[in-house]
Amino acid sequence: MTPAKRLAVITGGNSGIGLAIARRLLSINSDGHEFRVVLACRNKGKGKAARDELLMTYPQAQVDLVELDTSSVASVERAAIALRTLSCDGTISLLFCNAGSMAIDSLDMFGIVSGLLSHPIAFFESSEALRQKRGLVTADGMGETFQTNVFGHYLLIARLTEAMAGGRVIWTGSAASQLQFKASDYQHVWGDKPYESSKYIVDQIAIPLDQRLRPFGVRCLVAEPGNVCTNFLAGLGLPFFEYLVVGVFYFIRFVLGIARFTINADSGAEGCCYAALADEECVDSRIKYHSQVTRTGKAYVGQFPLVQNKDTAAFLMGQLDGLVKRFDEPK
């Protein structure tokens, strides 16, 4: 009898890092690593196109679609039911919390000039060139970036924990920063850096969440894709600028050897795939797994301590748990 394939769920799996993770998992369907991939996507049309692309390369693969919008509690609840049903043996081996958004308003010309003049290397490793939208709130009453990048996944984990025995949760992190982070506006609705704030929250909750999930045999890990040129800049409507950014990144990487300039999604997925596939004794929730590359683009994984403030982590876990309780169905 052929053993059931391990179920790997990838939020935001239709493009960028998510699609690169799917390609990697399907490419190693051997030596006991047989994966059935689920693309959990907000846009069904784009999800179907991604599935068709994967099946063109891997015609024997099992690739499923589940509609999921992490900025909607109702969508997360429906997706959780669908995902539990999909698993043949009742378990989900891998959950990649990858879907994310950065609501870009415009280029920040002052930030570009000041960054280039005062700290050019760090500037290219940040999002200082982009002015993000403020005041965005979802229909559920939460900060849009916070709910999309953090709470939607946190709720999904809560709903799937019992179906993930022996599995792993892998968050797609970022160069997280506590810039402007305030407990009074922890969802960063009114701050200038909601995207960075959301990724800072991921770093803070990873260790306590790992500790909470351990009794279920589930691990929680964070990976950092580096500077990847995906579709974040598409909202600007400046394709020339996107091409310019890519060219500048390649040039700087080759000249200066900046390891975090992964640039393409396949290299950026290296850290996520390592966290998902490495032996148990090789992973640690206190470590952040960074996708890195050589000057010529050869990908590898760097391991760095996850920077955490225990008081902030406890505060955020309490806030997130309170939100989950708020949306719990009446018993």
Side-chain angles (χ1 to χ4, degrees):
M1 180 178 178
T2 303
K5 293 185 177 182
R6 300 166 63 194
L7 199 65
V9 179
I10 309 168
T11 72
N14 60 281
S15 64
I17 298 296
L19 185 56
I21 292 170
R23 284 195 295 265
R24 181 72 64 86
L25 295 180
L26 295 177
S27 73
I28 59 170
N29 265 346
S30 61
D31 300 326
H33 289 294
E34 293 285 332
F35 287 103
R36 178 183 179 186
V37 169
V38 181
L39 306 179
C41 310
R42 179 173 56 185
N43 187 305
K44 293 177 68 174
K46 291 181 179 179
K48 184 179 183 303
R51 180 180 63 183
D52 292 345
E53 177 186 328
L54 291 170
L55 292 176
M56 284 287 290
T57 307
Y58 308 102
Q60 304 303 316
Q62 283 184 278
V63 182
D64 297 286
L65 291 179
V66 167
E67 189 172 356
L68 169 65
D69 179 355
T70 53
S71 69
S72 165
V73 167
S75 179
V76 171
E77 298 286 13
R78 289 192 297 269
I81 294 171
L83 290 169
R84 288 194 297 266
T85 303
L86 270 178
S87 181
C88 295
D89 61 358
T91 61
I92 297 169
S93 296
L94 298 172
L95 172 59
F96 292 90
C97 297
N98 170 75
S101 70
M102 179 193 291
I104 300 174
D105 185 36
S106 63
L107 292 176
D108 185 345
M109 299 311 297
F110 176 78
I112 292 173
V113 174
S114 62
L116 287 173
L117 292 177
S118 61
H119 49 277
I121 302 302
F123 168 78
F124 282 108
E125 297 179 346
S126 73
S127 61
E128 293 176 56
L130 305 173
R131 183 177 288 113
Q132 298 175 48
K133 295 179 181 179
R134 303 174 64 187
L136 299 180
V137 177
T138 68
D140 295 312
M142 284 176 270
E144 182 178 284
T145 302
F146 165 81
Q147 186 171 354
T148 302
N149 296 1
V150 183
F151 180 71
H153 290 107
Y154 193 87
L155 179 61
L156 186 64
I157 293 167
R159 298 299 188 242
L160 296 179
T161 296
E162 293 184 1
M164 288 196 64
R168 290 182 189 175
V169 174
I170 300 96
W171 293 83
T172 299
S174 184
S177 170
Q178 61 179 346
L179 289 174
Q180 303 180 23
F181 180 84
K182 296 179 181 179
S184 59
D185 183 26
Y186 72 94
Q187 297 184 18
H188 217 88
V189 175
W190 299 110
D192 293 328
K193 300 292 183 182
Y195 177 79
E196 287 80 0
S197 180
S198 71
K199 295 302 183 178
Y200 173 73
I201 293 173
V202 168
D203 279 4
Q204 297 310 299
I205 66 174
I207 295 174
L209 190 54
D210 181 67
Q211 294 168 343
R212 177 181 295 179
L213 296 175
R214 284 281 191 107
F216 297 92
V218 180
R219 302 301 311 276
C220 179
L221 305 165
V222 182
E224 151 74 83
N227 288 67
V228 180
C229 297
T230 56
N231 58 358
F232 269 132
L233 298 176
L236 289 173
L238 299 171
F240 173 76
F241 179 71
E242 294 182 59
Y243 290 123
L244 178 63
V245 169
V246 173
V248 169
F249 275 19
Y250 273 116
F251 176 77
I252 293 177
R253 185 179 75 187
F254 183 77
V255 173
L256 300 179
I258 299 178
R260 65 170 290 107
F261 277 24
T262 49
I263 303 176
N264 67 71
D266 288 315
S267 296
E270 194 76 15
C272 288
C273 292
Y274 177 87
L277 301 171
D279 293 338
E280 179 66 20
E281 62 270 16
C282 297
V283 294
D284 188 331
S285 64
R286 297 169 299 179
I287 298 295
K288 195 172 185 177
Y289 298 95
H290 288 240
S291 299
Q292 298 190 310
V293 290
T294 64
R295 292 174 187 267
T296 55
K298 183 178 181 180
Y300 65 96
V301 177
Q303 301 185 21
F304 301 91
L306 192 65
V307 179
Q308 185 212 45
N309 180 292
K310 290 185 178 181
D311 292 336
T312 301
F315 165 76
L316 289 168
M317 290 290 288
Q319 296 299 313
L320 288 162
D321 288 340
L323 288 171
V324 171
K325 186 176 181 180
R326 170 182 153 194
F327 291 106
D328 276 340
E329 294 180 359
K331 304 299 182 184

